[in-house]
Every structure is written in C-alpha cells, then in structure tokens.
Amino acid sequence: MSAIIGHRGARGLAPENTLQSIELAAELGVRWVELDVMLTRDQVPILFHDAWLNKLSNGRGQIEKLDFNALGKIRVLSPRKVKGGTSQPLATLASALERIQQLGLGLNLEIKPTSPDKDLLTLQLAVRELKNFPGLPLLISSFSMDVLYEAQRLLPQIPRGCLWEKLPKNWLQKAKDLEAASVHLSTSWLRRSQIEEVRAQGREVYIYTVNSKRQSEKYFAWGATGIFTDYPERFQPFIQDRRRTPFGEPV
C-alpha cells in the first residue's frame, strides 16, 4: 500500500467512513484509505466502525438490529474540533467502492462484524460487492483469523493483512498459514524489534493510528512500511516522497 493511509478516510477532518471523508482524503493527496464494513439487519454492507449508533452519529441502536431503510435519517457526526463541519449520511459499501474507483484510490477494507457470528457473512457479502469493481487496488484486513482464512479461500489473489493490537508470539505461523502480505499493529505495545522481525520475514508492517509527524518519523526509522492516520494533511512531505506501487490485484 502507500506510506500514508487515510484512516476511515480522513476522520480527523470529516465524518468518518463517509463519502465526504474519502473525498477529502483524496484531495489531501492520499492514495490509499482504510474503511470499516459491517452489516445491517437486512444484510446491507455499510461503512461504520462501532456496532452501536451513539457517539459517532445522531441516532441510537444496534446496527445489526436495524434495516438499512431505518438508517436513512441517521447522520454521521463531524469531528468536534472541526468548525462548521457538517454531518453526513451513512455510506453503503457499494457507493464507497464506486467513489474510490472514480478517485483512483486503493482500499484497505477492514471486515468489522457487529458480532462474532456475523464475521464470515460480513466478508462474503462484502466480496459480492467487491466483484463489481474489478481492478480496484485492494487489501482485506481483520482481527478475525476466520475472516482472513475465508478471504484466502474466496479471493486468493487479493492480499490479506493480519490485524493485531499486540504482535502474538506465533504471528509468523499465522501469517504463513494465511499467506498474509502484511501485519498491522497498534502503537500501544509496539517495539522496534517487532517491526524488524516482521520485515525480516518478508511482510510489510503498517502502524495504527499515528497522528504526529514525530511519531511517524520514529516508526519509519524503525522500518515500518506505512502508517494509518486521521490527519493526512500533517504528512504532505511523506505523501509526496513515499509513494508506493499498490500490491492489490484485480478481483
């Protein structure tokens, strides 16, 4: 992927996981965005991060208990620090894929089921939408190993990324079994030796969520391939100097 990846679009500047957030990330020069997909009760794949409508939106309730039509009046809230920001409607995965293709972006799609029993179905219905957009640079990531194994079966040619808050001791065996292209790690327990270990085994390493230039410089010096950020505008030099060729293949 690219060295700077827009986290949920540009979530520090626009309502996250919305078309506006994706468009703003593109305006800021980002070439890849990370988005979360989950299912409504009537099995419509939408972009959303939390299983509940609360702090991120103007509604209440659990996503998996609401049909998509019932979500029509729900708006995703603008970040509090953005003066004059406007709320935005929920986006379907299909509408986001269309916009991403129009903008020429790559997509790291995180499978974010509302509950563990929905993980494989969330992936399967997302794949149905993805197949309508052949050629889109794509990586599928998830905290669920079951999801990644299913992605390996359904879309073996599409790169997979293992998402971990902390690098497990048996990470290499899991990555080998999944033929994972990358490992995505939180800043919380991150050590330089972990990045070096993963890179030495031929995997790319992406760090989430990095919002300061100083922090990013440290991780790049440690060997990180890229970072996820809420504020792409803070990393213009990196965006210009660290462009990478997407490793996504056509669906």
Side-chain angles (χ1 to χ4, degrees), residues 26-200:
E27 288 177 16
L28 294 169
V30 166
R31 304 312 307 155
W32 278 72
V33 291
E34 181 270 350
L35 302 169
D36 306 291
V37 62
M38 58 177 54
L39 299 178
T40 60
R41 183 171 61 181
D42 51 344
Q43 300 184 354
V44 176
I46 63 168
L47 301 188
F48 209 71
H49 181 269
D50 290 6
W52 291 78
L53 293 166
N54 45 36
K55 62 182 179 180
L56 295 177
S57 68
N58 65 346
R60 294 186 178 275
Q62 196 170 2
I63 293 287
E64 68 175 348
K65 294 182 179 180
L66 297 168
D67 290 339
F68 181 71
N69 286 340
L71 294 168
K73 295 181 180 180
I74 299 298
R75 310 281 291 187
V76 184
L77 302 179
S78 180
R80 293 181 180 179
K81 295 182 180 180
V82 177
K83 295 182 178 180
T86 58
S87 61
Q88 294 293 311
L90 289 169
T92 63
L93 175 60
S95 65
L97 292 172
E98 182 177 6
R99 192 61 49 86
I100 287 168
Q101 188 175 65
Q102 292 170 348
L103 294 168
L105 300 178
L107 171 63
N108 174 182
L109 185 64
E110 180 182 344
I111 307 302
K112 197 83 174 180
T114 52
S115 56
D117 62 324
K118 297 288 195 306
D119 55 0
L120 296 186
L121 182 61
T122 303
L123 171 69
Q124 291 160 359
L125 295 181
V127 167
R128 188 171 67 183
E129 300 289 354
L130 289 166
K131 287 187 174 180
N132 293 322
F133 297 88
L136 184 76
L138 175 67
L139 177 138
I140 293 175
S141 65
S142 180
F143 284 100
S144 167
M145 294 298 104
D146 289 341
V147 163
L148 294 176
Y149 280 120
E150 182 71 354
Q152 184 181 32
R153 184 183 73 84
L154 294 176
L155 296 173
Q157 78 277 24
I158 297 300
R160 291 165 293 284
C162 296
L163 255 172
W164 287 304
E165 289 191 9
K166 185 178 182 180
L167 190 70
K169 291 182 179 180
N170 62 342
W171 77 267
L172 181 56
Q173 189 58 55
K174 290 184 176 183
K176 284 182 176 179
D177 291 344
L178 288 163
E179 300 176 297
S182 59
V183 170
H184 305 183
L185 298 173
S186 168
T187 61
S188 300
W189 294 279
L190 189 62
R191 300 194 304 273
R192 180 172 191 154
S193 60
Q194 294 173 325
I195 293 178
E196 292 174 343
E197 180 183 352
V198 176
R199 293 305 303 273

